[in-house]
Amino acid sequence: MKPLGRLAALATAALLATGCGGGNAAAPAASGPQPLRMTIWTSNEAHLKLFNEIAAEYRKSHPDAGEIKFDPIPFESYTTTLTTQIAGGKAPDLAWILEGSAPDFVSSGALVPLKGVLGKAQGYDLADLTPAATKLWEKDGELYAYPFSTSPFGVFVNEDLLKAAGQKTPEELIKAGKWTWDEALAMNAAVAKKEGKGGLIIRDFDYKNWDNLASFWGGWGARAWSDDGRTCQFDSPEMVEAMTTLHKAIFTDKALPGPGTSVDFFAGEAAMTITQISRASLLQDAKFKWDLVPLPAGPKGEYAVFGQAGIGVLKNSPHADLAADFLAFFTDPANSAKLAAYFPPPRAAQLTSETLAKSNPLLKPEQLQRVVIDGIAKGVVKPNHAGQAELAQTVRAALDPLWQPGADVKTVLDGVCAKIQPMLGA
């Protein structure tokens, strides 16, 4: 493997130090109730309320557990902050791990193997965890993080804005077999032109987090790199076609807000947004009629893309055993069903529209079936790779020239591969 660069090297060194002892070896645990800290990247009040309720329930039957703190870190800097904490000897006891960071964490030896502790937990059936959900978090037959959220991307729709702009709804197009990216982009361009609103928002992209564009380019069959991770595919014909379409939609048709424009779908400022069902809670008090539909079909037909998050226990935690036990409780069948209100579970028994509807009252069973259940069955995970931290920064910088009028799409994408191919090769 070629050098990963400064940021990735920091992450790798931090993880290896955690897994192998080194200068950050855990101090002996103090006597009395032991506190636990879990880093997370959500600060959503509903999410935190649920987490704290589960933690309080755990403490009732575990006098050895002290305060359980959920420590939000901004999404944009999450992995960098986490690895910096690890390198500085301030690792959390448990951590959410992004799918893009999974290869580095799983291979580093930084995480506690979980099959033993989960397999012994009351009511736990490891066989109920779906292979599609656990694949990214396994190595040599062991599970190193619990995939608590396997969440496909869908499209939330402001039907009132579409109606005001004289457009059909996506549901009408789905029934007619015409829910495609050509139609979706035209609808959003009409809303922007006639209503002066924001059109389509690819949430959390913001012309920085390019991996969220997989929810768009997947319709063209495009990928960031080959399955084995060794060959850049940003310069493929499929990617060039997808990004050319996206560029035109942004800068010519105004179907998406341009760089530097802040638009909030959930405040009624846009016609559509691509995101996951964990954001549905933001529509609790929506003043507009809305819907949730699958991603539009692209030239290569229907497709689905999902993001994942795993929860791992850090080996150098002075409370690693207690942390693993809490993780088993936090993700047992009963609590998994509660978490499913925001985070689609990896349990096959809970991946039914009826079960998910019980914990997602804002969403209809048919919405959950089409977006979540069908999406997990046929979807692919967002781009992930060893050394993802440096790769992500390099791709982001190489794509910057694309986000301006008149950009030469193919030249920019060729430039991306020129930058990252040396990082991908063995």
Side-chain angles (χ1 to χ4, degrees), residues 54-389:
I54 295 174
E57 190 65 26
Y58 178 77
R59 293 183 64 192
K60 287 180 182 179
S61 56
H62 293 77
D64 54 335
E67 178 188 10
I68 300 176
K69 179 181 179 182
F70 299 96
D71 185 9
I73 297 173
F75 180 86
E76 296 77 11
S77 59
Y78 182 83
T79 299
T80 301
T81 301
L82 174 59
T83 53
T84 300
Q85 288 184 6
I86 295 171
K90 298 179 180 179
D93 302 288
L94 306 96
W96 284 11
I97 300 169
L98 289 159
E99 70 282 299
S101 305
D104 284 330
F105 273 90
V106 170
S107 65
S108 69
L111 302 175
V112 172
L114 295 176
K115 279 193 173 180
V117 65
L118 297 183
K120 296 176 183 177
Q122 184 176 2
Y124 230 100
D125 181 6
L126 287 173
D128 191 38
L129 303 183
T130 63
T134 59
K135 180 180 179 181
L136 191 60
W137 311 96
E138 293 178 320
K139 179 185 178 184
D140 299 330
E142 182 56 79
L143 182 69
Y144 287 94
Y146 176 89
F148 80 102
S149 178
T150 300
S151 190
F153 289 87
V155 183
F156 283 93
V157 181
N158 184 327
E159 293 189 343
D160 289 350
L161 275 181
L162 290 175
K163 181 179 180 180
Q167 301 299 300
K168 294 181 178 180
T169 65
E171 185 61 37
E172 290 174 311
L173 294 177
I174 289 172
K175 291 178 178 177
K178 296 181 179 180
W179 179 230
T180 66
W181 270 116
D182 285 345
E183 293 287 346
L185 293 174
M187 294 161 70
N188 283 284
V191 168
K193 181 177 181 180
K194 297 178 181 180
E195 299 301 312
K197 296 293 185 177
L200 172 70
I201 311 297
I202 302 178
R203 192 171 175 95
D204 298 321
F205 161 48
D206 195 28
Y207 297 91
K208 299 173 184 176
N209 299 313
W210 57 269
D211 56 339
N212 282 331
L213 290 179
S215 62
F216 179 83
W217 73 49
W220 283 255
R223 298 181 299 175
W225 37 72
S226 57
D227 286 340
D228 63 8
R230 294 173 177 266
T231 304
C232 176
Q233 295 193 341
F234 274 95
D235 58 358
S236 69
E238 294 83 2
M239 184 68 83
V240 172
E241 183 181 354
M243 296 296 249
T244 298
T245 301
L246 181 64
H247 190 275
K248 178 177 181 293
I250 296 168
F251 295 103
T252 302
D253 302 331
K254 312 299 182 182
L256 288 81
T261 305
S262 179
V263 179
D264 185 359
F265 169 85
F266 296 96
E269 299 171 355
M272 301 180 194
T273 188
I274 297 175
T275 190
Q276 296 153 306
I277 67 166
S278 60
R279 307 301 177 94
S281 61
L282 298 174
L283 292 166
Q284 179 75 49
D285 301 315
K287 302 284 193 291
F288 54 88
K289 185 178 180 182
W290 60 273
D291 195 5
L292 172 65
V293 298
L295 297 170
K300 293 295 178 67
E302 295 182 355
Y303 69 106
V305 176
F306 55 80
Q308 273 201 309
I311 303 177
V313 176
L314 278 298
K315 272 187 178 179
N316 75 336
S317 161
H319 322 300
D321 290 343
L322 180 64
D325 188 71
F326 173 65
L327 176 58
F329 180 85
F330 190 79
T331 61
D332 71 15
N335 287 320
S336 178
K338 296 175 184 177
L339 292 167
Y342 312 106
F343 310 104
R347 299 177 178 279
Q350 294 177 341
L351 283 174
T352 69
S353 56
E354 294 79 9
T355 301
L356 290 176
K358 291 178 182 177
S359 53
N360 291 273
L362 291 178
L363 299 174
K364 301 173 184 177
E366 57 267 30
Q367 293 172 328
L368 292 163
Q369 179 68 48
R370 293 190 306 193
V371 174
V372 178
I373 299 171
D374 293 348
I376 291 173
K378 66 184 179 184
V380 297
V381 71
K382 286 171 56 181
N384 60 88
H385 199 285
Q388 180 87 356

